Amino acid sequence: MTRNTNDLTHSYIDSPEKQKKLYKRTLFIVGLSQIFGGAGLAAGITVGAILAQQMLGTDAFAGLPTAIFTLGSAGAALIVGRLSQRYGRRAGLATGFIVGGIGAIGVVFAAIINSIFLLFASLLIYGAGTATNLQARYAGTDLANAKQRATAVSMAMVFTTFGAVAGPNLVDVMGKLALAINVPALAGPFILAAVAYILAGLVFYIMLRPDPLLIARAIEANKQEHDNQKDCTSSEQTYNKRGVAVGATVMVLTQIVMVAIMTMTPVHMGHHGHGLREVGIVIGAHIGSMYLPSLVTGILIDKIGRTAMTIASGVTLLLAGLVAAMAPSDSMGLLVLALSLLGLGWNLGLISGTAQIVDATEPSTRAKTQGTIDVLIALAGASGGALSGMVVAHSSYAILSLSGGILSLILIPVVIWARGSKKERTLKVNKEL
């Protein structure tokens, strides 16, 4: 078995044509899984806060579900990253999605027996699906060259759109289905999440062969062996660390802002007479804007550059915060616009940040580094979710939205600093030559 595996790996090392075909096939597999993963992700976003609000009887802790499953995704991101590092993308991603599906089943039972403890424990496990849905984007970049990386990430996210948009708009349908089988209506979307996450895991487990990360490592090792490459210079290592730091900062900040405003929007709408159907429309538009623009944003990031598009992310998030803060509570149009801008800003930040991480890492350590960074992203989301309810309870939704928009402006000096560091490194290398 080992010999056959080695022979298969070497057949890809010696054939650029086979590498290209595997790259395209991997993108297709990632895309297919993301359709299911997006639907599973949408359930917790759409009704998680409302479910907790009903069970707890207070708004102050309405952000806890998002915080808990995001916290769960932090631990899962580390585990999925380590599994992928050791055994490849197939093992890590399949495990993460299936565990997330088990968590969704737990949420359904928690709603049936009205158990807060089981709800929170299940949401923690459900977070594994969220983490895996995010980490799946890396699989498409393993065999991509430097000019394809943002585009590869965007391709995975485009497919997420189909499930992510369908999920919130199926809230009403799944609620009626749940009631028909004597399950609380708000648990309905989590039935969809359980099926979707498990299907996503099975797609990876059955179809992701050979593993793109293992092939990428073998290609890199072969290249170093034939080129007699030495260890990175001190300046290159410093640049790579800065690249990782900047990419992580971009994704962490966009995640905090996006999660905080998104989490409290359904609760805000509920207070002003909007029903589940209206909430589903707004959140559907938001999630669509998180993923659908990937049709073009990945290409723009590869062509225009990581820096310019990160600045665009900060400006877009600021506009989202301003519109959300000023929108009349009964204005569906402005709420849709605000949440759409919020999704677009997140999209720009996530893809540009991910591309910077891939640029600054090698295949030999990439999965472990990516998993660790996704832990930070998840913790940022958990913090944003937990604090959002408290901010609104003690001030207002408008203050929360405005604060998030202002916070996003930090992205601009961060990427300008990174650009300056890159210029310094280029000058140093030119002098050495």
Side-chain angles (χ1 to χ4, degrees), residues 403-427:
S403 300
I406 293 172
L407 179 64
S408 65
L409 291 180
I410 296 176
L411 292 174
I412 296 175
V414 167
V415 294
I416 290 175
W417 169 75
R419 189 173 182 179
S421 299
K422 184 176 181 179
K423 286 181 178 179
E424 288 175 9
R425 176 176 176 269
T426 303
L427 289 172

Side-chain angles (χ1 to χ4, degrees), residues 264-275 327-331 335 397:
M264 294 311 298
T265 298
V267 176
H268 171 70
M269 292 178 68
H271 281 319
H272 294 89
H274 297 287
S329 58
D330 60 347
S331 175
L335 284 173
Y397 175 76

Side-chain angles (χ1 to χ4, degrees), residues 204-425:
F204 277 122
Y205 183 76
I206 295 169
M207 299 179 67
L208 198 62
R209 302 166 187 252
D211 193 290
L213 179 59
L214 300 183
I215 297 296
R217 280 189 204 155
I219 293 170
E220 184 66 22
N222 183 69
K223 181 181 176 182
Q224 290 186 358
E225 181 181 344
H226 283 77
D227 293 349
N228 294 319
Q229 291 181 348
K230 298 181 180 179
D231 293 336
C232 293
T233 63
S234 176
S235 63
E236 187 173 354
Q237 289 176 343
T238 300
Y239 171 70
N240 286 345
K241 288 179 181 178
R242 284 179 176 175
V244 170
V246 171
T249 301
V250 169
M251 290 190 284
V252 164
L253 281 174
T254 53
Q255 187 77 357
I256 289 175
V257 174
M258 187 275 289
V259 171
I261 297 175
M262 173 202 68
T263 298
M264 294 311 298
T265 298
V267 176
H268 171 70
M269 292 178 68
H271 281 319
H272 294 89
H274 297 287
L276 280 180
R277 181 176 174 275
E278 288 79 11
V279 171
I281 291 171
V282 171
I283 297 300
H286 166 65
I287 298 178
S289 298
M290 288 172 65
Y291 296 102
L292 192 57
S294 302
L295 286 165
V296 294
T297 52
I299 297 171
L300 289 174
I301 290 167
D302 278 333
K303 289 187 177 295
I304 298 175
R306 285 44 164 158
T307 300
M309 299 307 288
T310 300
I311 292 173
S313 170
V315 173
T316 304
L317 289 172
L318 173 63
L319 290 174
L322 290 173
V323 173
M326 296 185 294
S329 58
D330 60 347
S331 175
M332 277 287 291
L334 286 178
L335 284 173
V336 167
L337 175 61
L339 270 290
S340 296
L341 288 170
L342 186 69
L344 175 60
W346 177 86
N347 176 278
L348 293 171
L350 183 76
I351 297 179
S352 59
T354 299
Q356 290 177 72
I357 295 297
V358 179
D359 290 343
T361 54
E362 299 296 332
S364 58
T365 58
R366 184 169 292 159
K368 182 179 178 181
T369 302
Q370 290 165 342
T372 302
I373 290 169
D374 277 3
V375 171
L376 298 177
I377 295 171
L379 291 175
S383 301
L387 293 174
S388 63
M390 297 179 187
V391 170
V392 172
H394 291 90
S395 55
S396 67
Y397 175 76
I399 293 296
L400 173 71
S401 301
L402 189 59
S403 300
I406 293 172
L407 179 64
S408 65
L409 291 180
I410 296 176
L411 292 174
I412 296 175
V414 167
V415 294
I416 290 175
W417 169 75
R419 189 173 182 179
S421 299
K422 184 176 181 179
K423 286 181 178 179
E424 288 175 9
R425 176 176 176 269

Side-chain angles (χ1 to χ4, degrees), residues 38-183:
L41 170 69
I45 292 175
T46 307
V47 301
I50 301 173
L51 181 61
Q53 179 194 31
Q54 287 190 2
M55 293 176 73
L56 291 168
T58 177
D59 290 348
F61 301 103
L64 271 181
T66 302
I68 290 171
F69 74 67
T70 309
L71 186 62
S73 73
L78 187 63
I79 294 170
V80 170
R82 296 299 170 93
L83 282 174
S84 299
Q85 181 70 34
R86 186 166 185 176
Y87 302 108
R89 298 288 185 194
R90 175 173 165 263
L93 297 176
T95 300
F97 270 130
I98 291 172
V99 170
I102 294 170
I105 293 171
V107 172
V108 174
F109 280 104
I112 292 172
I113 65 176
N114 197 34
S115 169
I116 291 294
F117 175 78
L118 180 58
L119 173 68
F120 288 167
S122 298
L123 284 170
L124 199 67
I125 300 170
Y126 168 79
T130 308
T132 310
N133 193 72
L134 192 59
Q135 281 208 29
R137 74 195 189 279
Y138 289 120
T141 68
D142 288 328
L143 294 171
N145 62 43
K147 294 182 179 180
Q148 295 175 320
R149 287 166 182 165
T151 303
V153 176
S154 69
M155 287 296 292
M157 293 179 67
V158 166
F159 283 97
T160 308
T161 308
F162 298 108
V165 172
N169 288 290
L170 289 173
V171 165
D172 199 36
V173 174
M174 292 306 299
K176 291 176 181 177
L177 175 65
L179 288 173
I181 57 175
N182 295 320
V183 172

